[in-house]
Amino acid sequence: MAVLDDLSGFEFEDLMEDVFRTLGYENVRQAAKTSDEGRDVIMEEIVDGTRRAIIVECKHTGTVGRPVVQKLHSAIATFEFNGPKRGIVVTTGRFTNPAQEYAQRLQQNDDPHPIELIDGEDLREIADEIGLDLYNGRIEVLCDETLRPYDPAAAVDAPVVEAFRDIENIEAADLPEPDSQVTFQPVVAITADTNAVFETSVGVIHRINDRTQFVVHAERGHPNVADNDVATLVTENFHTTVPLDTGQFTEVFDDVEERRFGQTQTKYKEWAVDRLQDYHTTTVTYTGDNNVTYNKTCEPNRSDISVQSIEPVYLPEVRQTTEMLEYSYPYEYYAAGPSRVTLEDRIHRCVHCETSGVDETYTYCPNCGAIACDTHIKTERLEGEPVCTGCAVTDRFALKTKYFYDEQNLDTFREEYAEMPLHEKAMENKLLAGASLVATLLLVAGLLVIGGII
């Protein structure tokens, strides 16, 4: 199979490790290069509830004869595993007739260690199944599953309606239908094991035995690890994925976009191994046999890191924008059915200042459509309803600033103010009126004292 000729033997083993992992085998890892013993890749499968080990021999060569199959059979027999075992020989070329006859005989005789043969033609079929680019040995990401972009038990705009419940002076029934967009963002969930032991003449000085799970944003460009909230959203909802049916979602959302995975599955694996290698590298201080203190940098080898799974899925990014008179209120979040992680919330944010967050109080201004904090919300003098400082017309009465929806309301109040008795005008500034009352009482009391009445 000339298209794979540019791969070295080790690169072919790397490729087959990725292939078997993609096919769904578990605990897929490579045997140590220095002690191959006929075992290139080791993995496991579950058959009728029983875990079985599989020992794989990879041969990047034109022809594979019977001795290779016999050697693998011996390697399976000596491999330590508490359970049934079988083998696979995979090659880019073909198997000789004696090799095929030997493998068939093991099957026919119900040998406890049967061996499966995968040749270049079989590999082409597998490549088509998993999206393997045979020309460069890379496995493409094949994914047609997405987390749910909305809760099927509720309306699509339910998150927006819920957010507006916190806003004073507006009812859900008065909300216009938001413009809704969904972008299906590619992500991959990666699970990897790192096992390494570091020894010196004094013995083991450092040991790594760690399983790492993380979610990666997988658009074009360099992969980025998702934050904890997004990772939790993805991993906790993997069991509730649905087919990515763009036609179906266009009936629900005004605009639908699907982003492509930016790299191959093989590339994400290589990136994960590099990242974990850096993450686990540390400097250890220890005391030698001569009582001298030493520092040693312990960096795991790439072979110490085994990527157990790379699971792709689409993560819906929903953006719903509500138009309210002069203002637009976008509400953006990652969705997984009824669960979500908020990315942008302009509903819980004052349009006039930087006040934001769900712990603040906000009020809707029906005059201009603004959502404002307490500092920027006043009471309209004529109507007695909220009005924001951004749109209100103002004037001073009894030395107190009053707020109005418009000039017409202001003129109407001026006419009313002109007809008011003096004591009512004074009440337009209650602080001033209260102070005047106190001053008047003090003045009267003083006159009574002077007059000798008190």
Side-chain angles (χ1 to χ4, degrees):
M1 199 157 62
V3 290
L4 288 177
D5 283 350
D6 290 339
L7 295 181
S8 68
F10 286 161
E11 288 172 334
F12 181 59
E13 292 173 18
D14 289 339
L15 171 63
M16 293 315 302
E17 178 188 355
D18 293 341
V19 167
F20 287 121
R21 184 185 303 108
T22 303
L23 290 173
Y25 293 97
E26 298 182 2
N27 296 328
V28 183
R29 65 231 186 246
Q30 292 188 42
K33 297 290 192 296
T34 56
S35 57
D36 183 287
E37 298 180 348
R39 308 165 189 157
D40 292 324
V41 175
I42 304 168
M43 58 193 186
E44 297 167 15
E45 64 181 352
I46 305 294
V47 179
D48 296 330
T50 300
R51 183 171 292 274
R52 178 165 62 181
I54 306 174
I55 318 304
V56 182
E57 175 76 3
C58 301
K59 286 298 180 182
H60 185 35
T61 184
T63 303
V64 176
R66 173 173 171 160
V68 172
V69 184
Q70 288 179 308
K71 180 182 177 182
L72 177 61
H73 189 258
S74 299
I76 298 171
T78 58
F79 180 69
E80 294 185 6
F81 183 78
N82 186 23
K85 299 173 286 185
R86 73 179 181 95
I88 297 176
V89 181
V90 58
T91 178
T92 55
R94 64 179 186 84
F95 293 98
T96 64
N97 289 334
Q100 296 179 53
E101 291 171 358
Y102 183 82
Q104 290 170 1
R105 191 177 306 118
L106 294 177
Q107 295 278 358
Q108 294 167 355
N109 295 337
D110 293 326
D111 191 277
H113 309 312
I115 294 177
E116 177 186 359
L117 304 182
I118 299 177
D119 62 15
E121 185 175 345
D122 297 326
L123 191 54
R124 288 189 185 90
E125 294 179 2
I126 293 173
D128 291 338
E129 178 183 344
I130 66 174
L132 168 62
D133 182 352
L134 294 177
Y135 287 91
N136 62 20
R138 302 292 182 179
I139 296 179
E140 301 296 331
V141 176
L142 299 182
C143 180
D144 57 3
E145 294 290 313
T146 180
L147 302 183
R148 291 182 181 273
Y150 62 93
D151 182 0
V156 174
D157 61 351
V160 171
V161 174
E162 179 182 335
F164 269 104
R165 287 197 186 104
D166 298 333
I167 309 303
E168 297 184 0
N169 199 43
I170 190 169
E171 299 295 332
D174 299 329
L175 290 174
E177 183 177 345
D179 176 76
S180 59
Q181 305 171 24
V182 60
T183 301
F184 292 98
Q185 302 282 7
V187 298
V188 291
I190 299 174
T191 301
D193 291 337
T194 305
N195 294 283
V197 177
F198 301 88
E199 296 182 84
T200 67
S201 60
V202 299
V204 176
I205 62 170
H206 184 57
R207 189 186 304 269
I208 303 172
N209 184 11
D210 179 72
R211 167 158 288 195
T212 307
Q213 296 176 304
F214 50 94
V215 173
V216 179
H217 292 287
E219 292 184 71
R220 293 184 181 278
H222 194 71
N224 292 310
V225 177
D227 62 35
N228 290 335
D229 289 342
V230 175
T232 299
L233 182 74
V234 172
T235 56
E236 289 187 351
N237 290 279
F238 247 117
H239 63 287
T240 61
T241 58
V242 296
L244 179 53
D245 184 350
T246 305
Q248 172 191 343
F249 295 129
T250 53
E251 298 177 1
V252 179
F253 293 92
D254 298 311
D255 186 45
V256 177
E257 181 181 359
E258 176 186 346
R259 299 283 175 84
R260 296 177 60 87
F261 284 83
Q263 298 187 27
T264 64
Q265 185 183 120
T266 307
K267 275 292 187 181
Y268 290 122
K269 173 207 166 186
E270 294 171 351
W271 172 84
V273 171
D274 289 341
R275 181 177 183 275
L276 289 171
Q277 191 175 29
D278 290 341
Y279 175 77
H280 286 295
T281 297
T282 185
T283 300
V284 175
T285 301
Y286 69 97
T287 302
D289 295 329
N290 54 1
N291 290 326
V292 175
T293 299
Y294 296 94
N295 293 323
K296 179 177 176 62
T297 299
C298 298
E299 179 182 13
N301 296 318
R302 293 179 62 85
S303 59
D304 296 329
I305 302 169
S306 174
V307 176
Q308 296 297 311
S309 63
I310 300 177
E311 300 179 272
V313 71
Y314 284 97
L315 174 62
E317 182 178 338
V318 180
R319 185 178 182 85
Q320 296 178 304
T321 304
T322 307
E323 302 289 342
M324 307 284 283
L325 299 177
E326 299 176 15
Y327 293 91
S328 296
Y329 297 101
Y331 187 62
E332 187 170 0
Y333 52 90
Y334 288 129
S339 303
R340 59 184 181 273
V341 173
T342 303
L343 299 175
E344 181 183 13
D345 179 4
R346 297 300 293 268
I347 297 172
H348 295 92
R349 180 175 179 178
C350 178
V351 300
H352 301 302
C353 68
E354 296 302 316
T355 300
S356 60
V358 295
D359 295 330
E360 302 291 335
T361 299
Y362 305 92
T363 303
Y364 175 69
C365 171
N367 193 49
C368 67
I371 293 176
C373 65
D374 286 347
T375 302
H376 293 92
I377 280 288
K378 303 298 178 181
T379 300
E380 208 272 351
R381 175 59 185 83
L382 197 64
E383 304 290 344
E385 297 293 331
V387 65
C388 75
T389 57
C391 70
V393 176
T394 62
D395 202 351
R396 294 175 69 83
F397 296 88
L399 302 181
K400 178 73 173 179
T401 301
K402 299 294 177 179
Y403 297 84
F404 302 90
Y405 284 148
D406 49 34
E407 293 288 349
Q408 182 178 347
N409 277 22
L410 172 57
D411 292 340
T412 300
F413 181 73
R414 280 175 179 156
E415 295 174 1
E416 292 183 4
Y417 186 79
E419 299 296 326
M420 288 181 184
L422 186 59
H423 69 278
E424 289 187 12
K425 289 182 177 180
M427 290 305 296
E428 291 301 318
N429 190 337
K430 294 182 180 180
L431 290 177
L432 182 60
S436 299
L437 177 60
V438 171
T440 300
L441 291 174
L442 291 174
L443 177 60
V444 171
L447 291 174
L448 292 175
V449 171
I450 294 173
I453 298 176
I454 298 179

